[in-house]
Amino acid sequence: MAEGEPPAVPGVNGSIHICDFPGGTESPESHEEESSQSSAAQYNQDLKSVLVTSVLNLEELDVDLYRGTHHWVPRSQRLFGGQIIGQALVAAAKSVSDNHYAHSLHCYFVRAGDPKVPVLYQVDRTRDGRSFTVRSVKAIQHGQPILICQASFHMLQPSPLQHQFTMPVVPPPEDLLTVEELIRLYLSKPDLGEKSRQGLNKLLANEVPIEMKPVQPPHFYRLAAVEPRTLFWVRARGYIGEGNMKLHCCVAAYVSDFAFLGTALLPYPNYKAQFAASLDHAMWFHSTFRSDEWMLYECESPWAGGSRGLVQGRLWRRDGVLAASCSQEGVLRVKAVTEPSKL
């Protein structure tokens, strides 16, 4: 069972504490024209995203066999689930033709990932069809699978059937603070306890390769129960570029697991997670997008019980187009707290 949640951060999963590439009918060129004036243009094009240069850059060992290394490891010392999902999709995408794009993936985490050794990705070419191609990927450590992934790829086809939900109305990312800026704001409080200060400084030291801006940062101490719903803008750090939708889907798969499962904890301020990990993760890609541009991540938890929580998410482009949908169930073992948690 792999680590499904990074360290909690203010405004992302409701407290500050340390927790234990597309389908659609739109052509890639249509969004590339829109993106010429997008937020990604702020990046120096020489400043390549570490998600491209390192995290999702697999070493080919043999036909359909790849090796991936680790860039960022949570404090739980289990591999981050989004990394394994993203790398598995990279391995699968390498074996399909250029005109087939990822439209869905379904993953099961079966063992904890070991951050001390690389991960091997073994691809099985399950089916090659004219419209759909299916790949099975096993992520392997110590001779045993830690993740099993099924990924399906689709040749873009036009259709008169087109509808979607409406994107939530929220402030633009330019009007909001990043997670790092929020942490510095909390660090400036004169009444902040030393233990809290140490924990926040550790969070600042994390080299997480994505940037997040919470829409409604909750109270620092998570005093009140709130509905299990979070909204935050998110993008990959650095420049990725246009024209490679397979890569953007892999980056989005990596991003989709950040601060996802913690949404199910928001209604329970009197409990904190003793153990949280992803069990399975599914994703559907609907339209073209740029993962190095700001996208709104809308997460909600419709159910929790039996020491498990279900979370669903939607990734929106800034222009209101639904780019991808996600769903995840995870283990949530909690314990009661007698006073508000400061870490």
Side-chain angles (χ1 to χ4, degrees), residues 77-307:
Q77 293 305 300
R78 299 193 308 274
L79 291 183
F80 171 49
Q83 173 193 291
I84 309 172
I85 296 170
Q87 290 181 344
L89 188 57
V90 169
K94 287 179 177 292
S95 68
V96 303
S97 62
D98 291 340
N99 64 344
H100 280 64
Y101 301 90
H103 75 85
S104 68
L105 60 86
H106 299 263
C107 302
Y108 279 96
F109 296 98
V110 293
R111 289 181 178 84
D114 182 354
K116 297 187 292 295
V117 298
V119 181
L120 298 180
Y121 295 91
Q122 187 176 55
V123 180
D124 177 64
R125 303 192 181 207
T126 307
R127 180 180 185 269
D128 288 294
R130 286 181 295 178
S131 298
F132 290 89
T133 296
V134 179
R135 296 292 183 259
S136 301
V137 182
K138 282 185 180 180
I140 301 169
Q141 285 186 320
H142 304 295
Q144 294 182 314
I146 62 172
L147 172 131
I148 299 171
C149 175
Q150 298 279 342
S152 183
F153 299 80
H154 181 216
M155 185 170 62
L156 298 181
Q157 296 175 334
S159 171
L161 306 179
Q162 296 188 53
H163 70 268
Q164 66 168 51
F165 284 177
T166 301
M167 178 180 174
V169 178
V170 300
E174 291 78 15
D175 294 346
L176 300 170
L177 298 177
T178 66
V179 165
E180 290 79 11
E181 289 168 337
L182 285 167
I183 291 176
R184 292 189 181 98
L185 181 63
Y186 290 131
L187 284 170
S188 69
K189 295 180 181 294
D191 59 343
L192 184 67
E194 182 58 30
K195 186 177 180 181
S196 296
R197 189 175 301 278
Q198 291 176 4
L200 289 171
N201 281 317
K202 288 178 181 178
L203 288 178
L204 277 179
N206 285 332
E207 296 182 1
V208 180
I210 67 171
E211 188 174 8
M212 295 178 284
K213 291 190 173 186
V215 172
Q216 291 182 315
H219 191 276
F220 176 70
Y221 293 125
R222 198 162 67 101
L223 294 172
V226 296
E227 64 175 328
R229 186 169 185 257
T230 54
L231 291 158
F232 58 94
W233 292 97
V234 61
R235 68 178 176 183
R237 296 186 188 274
Y239 178 80
I240 295 177
E242 301 172 341
N244 192 340
M245 267 313 302
K246 288 181 180 177
L247 180 57
H248 283 295
C249 285
C250 293
V251 173
Y254 180 95
V255 167
S256 69
D257 197 29
F258 268 85
F260 202 27
L261 193 56
T263 305
L265 293 172
L266 294 179
Y268 310 101
N270 296 324
Y271 291 88
K272 65 178 182 179
Q274 282 186 300
F275 180 81
S278 307
L279 290 171
D280 59 357
H281 189 97
M283 196 165 185
W284 297 265
F285 302 98
H286 309 307
S287 185
T288 55
F289 58 88
R290 287 276 300 272
S291 55
D292 54 357
E293 294 178 347
W294 288 115
M295 290 191 291
L296 181 68
Y297 200 8
E298 178 188 12
C299 304
E300 55 188 0
S301 175
W303 174 88
S307 294

